[in-house]
Coordinates of all heavy atoms in Angstrom, one line a residue:
A1 N 24.3 -61.6 -20.1 CA 24.3 -60.2 -20.4 C 24.8 -59.9 -21.7 O 24.4 -59.1 -22.4 CB 25.3 -59.6 -19.4
A2 N 25.7 -60.8 -22.3 CA 26.3 -60.7 -23.6 C 25.2 -60.7 -24.7 O 25.2 -60.1 -25.7 CB 27.3 -61.7 -24.0
Q3 N 24.1 -61.5 -24.4 CA 23.0 -61.7 -25.4 C 22.2 -60.4 -25.5 O 21.3 -60.2 -26.3 CB 22.2 -63.0 -25.0 CG 22.9 -64.2 -25.1 CD 22.1 -65.4 -24.6 OE1 20.9 -65.3 -24.3 NE2 22.6 -66.6 -24.6
R4 N 22.2 -59.6 -24.4 CA 21.2 -58.4 -24.3 C 22.0 -57.2 -24.9 O 21.3 -56.2 -25.0 CB 20.8 -58.2 -22.8 CG 19.9 -59.3 -22.2 CD 19.4 -58.9 -20.9 NE 20.5 -58.3 -20.1 CZ 20.9 -58.8 -18.9 NH1 20.4 -60.0 -18.5 NH2 21.7 -58.2 -18.2
I5 N 23.3 -57.2 -25.2 CA 24.0 -56.0 -25.5 C 24.1 -56.0 -27.1 O 24.2 -56.9 -27.7 CB 25.3 -55.9 -25.0 CG1 25.9 -54.4 -25.1 CG2 26.3 -56.9 -25.5 CD1 27.1 -54.3 -24.1
A6 N 23.8 -54.7 -27.6 CA 23.9 -54.5 -29.1 C 24.7 -53.2 -29.3 O 24.7 -52.3 -28.6 CB 22.5 -54.4 -29.6
F7 N 25.5 -53.4 -30.4 CA 26.4 -52.1 -30.8 C 25.9 -51.7 -32.1 O 25.5 -52.4 -33.1 CB 27.8 -52.6 -30.8 CG 28.4 -52.9 -29.6 CD1 28.3 -54.1 -29.0 CD2 29.2 -51.9 -28.9 CE1 28.8 -54.4 -27.8 CE2 29.8 -52.3 -27.7 CZ 29.6 -53.5 -27.2
G8 N 26.1 -50.4 -32.4 CA 25.9 -49.8 -33.7 C 26.8 -48.5 -33.8 O 27.2 -48.0 -32.8
V9 N 27.1 -48.2 -35.0 CA 28.0 -47.2 -35.4 C 27.3 -46.1 -36.2 O 26.6 -46.5 -37.2 CB 29.3 -47.6 -36.1 CG1 30.2 -46.5 -36.4 CG2 30.1 -48.6 -35.2
Y10 N 27.4 -44.9 -36.0 CA 26.8 -43.8 -36.8 C 27.7 -42.7 -37.2 O 28.8 -42.5 -36.4 CB 25.5 -43.3 -36.2 CG 25.7 -42.6 -34.8 CD1 25.9 -41.3 -34.8 CD2 25.8 -43.4 -33.6 CE1 26.1 -40.7 -33.5 CE2 25.9 -42.8 -32.4 CZ 26.2 -41.4 -32.4 OH 26.4 -40.9 -31.1
D11 N 27.4 -42.0 -38.3 CA 28.3 -41.0 -38.7 C 27.6 -39.7 -38.5 O 27.2 -39.0 -39.5 CB 28.6 -41.2 -40.1 CG 29.8 -40.3 -40.6 OD1 30.5 -39.7 -39.8 OD2 30.0 -40.1 -41.8
E12 N 27.5 -39.3 -37.3 CA 26.9 -38.0 -36.9 C 27.8 -37.3 -35.8 O 28.4 -38.0 -35.1 CB 25.4 -38.2 -36.3 CG 24.5 -38.8 -37.2 CD 23.9 -37.8 -38.2 OE1 23.9 -36.6 -37.9 OE2 23.5 -38.3 -39.2
P13 N 27.7 -35.9 -35.7 CA 28.5 -35.2 -34.7 C 27.9 -35.7 -33.3 O 26.7 -36.0 -33.1 CB 28.1 -33.8 -34.8 CG 27.7 -33.7 -36.3 CD 27.0 -35.0 -36.6
I14 N 28.9 -36.0 -32.4 CA 28.5 -36.4 -31.1 C 28.0 -35.2 -30.2 O 28.7 -34.2 -30.1 CB 29.7 -37.0 -30.3 CG1 30.2 -38.2 -31.0 CG2 29.5 -37.3 -28.8 CD1 31.6 -38.8 -30.5
R15 N 26.9 -35.4 -29.7 CA 26.2 -34.4 -28.8 C 26.1 -34.8 -27.5 O 26.5 -34.1 -26.5 CB 24.9 -33.9 -29.4 CG 24.9 -33.4 -30.8 CD 25.3 -32.0 -30.9 NE 25.0 -31.4 -32.3 CZ 25.9 -31.1 -33.1 NH1 27.2 -31.1 -32.8 NH2 25.6 -30.6 -34.4
F16 N 25.6 -36.0 -27.4 CA 25.3 -36.6 -26.0 C 25.7 -38.0 -26.2 O 25.4 -38.8 -27.2 CB 23.9 -36.6 -25.6 CG 23.5 -35.2 -25.0 CD1 23.1 -34.2 -25.8 CD2 23.5 -35.0 -23.6 CE1 22.7 -33.0 -25.1 CE2 23.2 -33.9 -23.1 CZ 22.8 -32.8 -23.8
N17 N 26.1 -38.8 -25.0 CA 26.2 -40.1 -24.9 C 24.8 -40.4 -24.3 O 24.5 -39.9 -23.1 CB 27.3 -40.6 -24.1 CG 28.7 -40.4 -24.6 OD1 28.8 -40.6 -25.8 ND2 29.6 -40.0 -23.8
I18 N 24.0 -41.3 -24.8 CA 22.6 -41.6 -24.3 C 22.5 -43.1 -24.2 O 22.8 -43.8 -25.1 CB 21.6 -41.1 -25.3 CG1 21.7 -39.6 -25.6 CG2 20.2 -41.5 -24.9 CD1 20.8 -39.1 -26.7
T19 N 22.1 -43.4 -23.0 CA 21.9 -44.9 -22.6 C 20.4 -45.0 -22.1 O 20.1 -44.3 -21.0 CB 22.8 -45.4 -21.6 OG1 24.2 -45.1 -22.1 CG2 22.6 -46.9 -21.3
L20 N 19.6 -45.6 -22.8 CA 18.2 -45.8 -22.4 C 18.2 -47.2 -21.5 O 18.7 -48.3 -22.1 CB 17.2 -46.0 -23.5 CG 17.2 -44.8 -24.4 CD1 16.2 -45.1 -25.5 CD2 16.8 -43.5 -23.7
I21 N 17.8 -47.1 -20.3 CA 17.9 -48.3 -19.4 C 16.7 -49.3 -19.6 O 16.9 -50.4 -19.8 CB 18.1 -47.9 -17.9 CG1 19.3 -46.9 -17.7 CG2 18.2 -49.1 -17.0 CD1 20.6 -47.5 -18.2
D22 N 15.5 -48.8 -19.3 CA 14.4 -49.7 -19.2 C 13.0 -49.1 -19.7 O 12.0 -49.5 -19.2 CB 14.2 -50.2 -17.7 CG 14.0 -49.1 -16.8 OD1 13.9 -48.0 -17.2 OD2 14.0 -49.4 -15.6
G23 N 13.1 -48.1 -20.5 CA 11.8 -47.4 -20.9 C 11.4 -46.3 -20.0 O 10.5 -45.6 -20.1
Q24 N 12.0 -46.2 -18.7 CA 11.8 -45.3 -17.8 C 12.9 -44.4 -17.3 O 12.7 -43.4 -16.7 CB 11.1 -46.0 -16.6 CG 9.9 -46.7 -16.8 CD 8.7 -45.8 -17.2 OE1 8.5 -44.8 -16.5 NE2 8.1 -46.1 -18.3
L25 N 14.1 -44.8 -17.6 CA 15.4 -44.1 -17.1 C 16.3 -44.1 -18.2 O 16.5 -44.9 -19.0 CB 16.0 -45.0 -16.0 CG 17.3 -44.5 -15.3 CD1 16.9 -43.1 -14.6 CD2 17.9 -45.4 -14.4
C26 N 16.9 -42.9 -18.3 CA 17.9 -42.5 -19.3 C 19.1 -41.9 -18.7 O 19.0 -41.2 -17.7 CB 17.3 -41.5 -20.3 SG 18.5 -40.7 -21.4
V27 N 20.4 -42.2 -19.0 CA 21.6 -41.7 -18.7 C 22.1 -40.9 -19.9 O 22.3 -41.4 -20.8 CB 22.6 -42.7 -18.1 CG1 23.9 -42.0 -17.7 CG2 22.0 -43.6 -17.0
A28 N 22.2 -39.6 -19.7 CA 22.8 -38.8 -20.8 C 23.9 -37.9 -20.3 O 23.9 -37.4 -19.3 CB 21.6 -37.8 -21.3
Q29 N 25.0 -37.8 -21.1 CA 26.2 -37.1 -20.8 C 26.5 -36.2 -22.1 O 26.8 -36.8 -23.2 CB 27.3 -38.0 -20.4 CG 28.6 -37.3 -20.0 CD 29.7 -38.4 -19.6 OE1 29.8 -39.3 -20.1 NE2 30.5 -38.0 -18.7
P30 N 26.6 -35.0 -21.9 CA 26.9 -34.2 -23.1 C 28.5 -34.3 -23.4 O 29.3 -34.5 -22.6 CB 26.7 -32.7 -22.6 CG 26.8 -32.8 -21.1 CD 26.4 -34.1 -20.7
Y31 N 28.7 -34.2 -24.7 CA 30.0 -34.1 -25.2 C 30.5 -32.7 -25.1 O 29.9 -31.8 -25.7 CB 30.1 -34.6 -26.7 CG 31.5 -34.4 -27.4 CD1 32.5 -35.2 -26.9 CD2 31.8 -33.4 -28.1 CE1 33.8 -35.0 -27.4 CE2 33.0 -33.1 -28.7 CZ 34.0 -34.0 -28.4 OH 35.3 -33.8 -28.9
L32 N 31.6 -32.5 -24.3 CA 32.2 -31.2 -24.2 C 33.7 -31.3 -24.7 O 34.5 -31.9 -24.0 CB 32.2 -30.8 -22.6 CG 30.8 -30.7 -22.0 CD1 30.9 -30.5 -20.5 CD2 29.9 -29.7 -22.7
P33 N 33.9 -30.6 -25.7 CA 35.3 -30.8 -26.4 C 36.4 -30.5 -25.6 O 37.5 -31.0 -25.8 CB 35.1 -30.0 -27.7 CG 34.0 -29.1 -27.5 CD 33.1 -29.7 -26.5
Q34 N 36.3 -29.6 -24.7 CA 37.4 -29.2 -23.9 C 37.5 -30.0 -22.5 O 38.4 -29.6 -21.7 CB 37.5 -27.7 -23.7 CG 37.5 -26.9 -25.0 CD 38.6 -27.1 -25.9 OE1 39.6 -27.4 -25.3 NE2 38.4 -27.3 -27.2
T35 N 36.6 -30.9 -22.3 CA 36.6 -31.5 -21.0 C 36.7 -33.0 -21.1 O 36.1 -33.7 -22.1 CB 35.2 -31.2 -20.4 OG1 35.0 -29.8 -20.4 CG2 35.0 -31.7 -18.9

């Protein structure tokens, strides 16, 4: 599993946490500043 994970950092405002699973499924969670 460690060989399959990659990390990156970007300097943009956070709008959504986005995880693409397999080209067919996406998990998206909006950033809500008060939540």
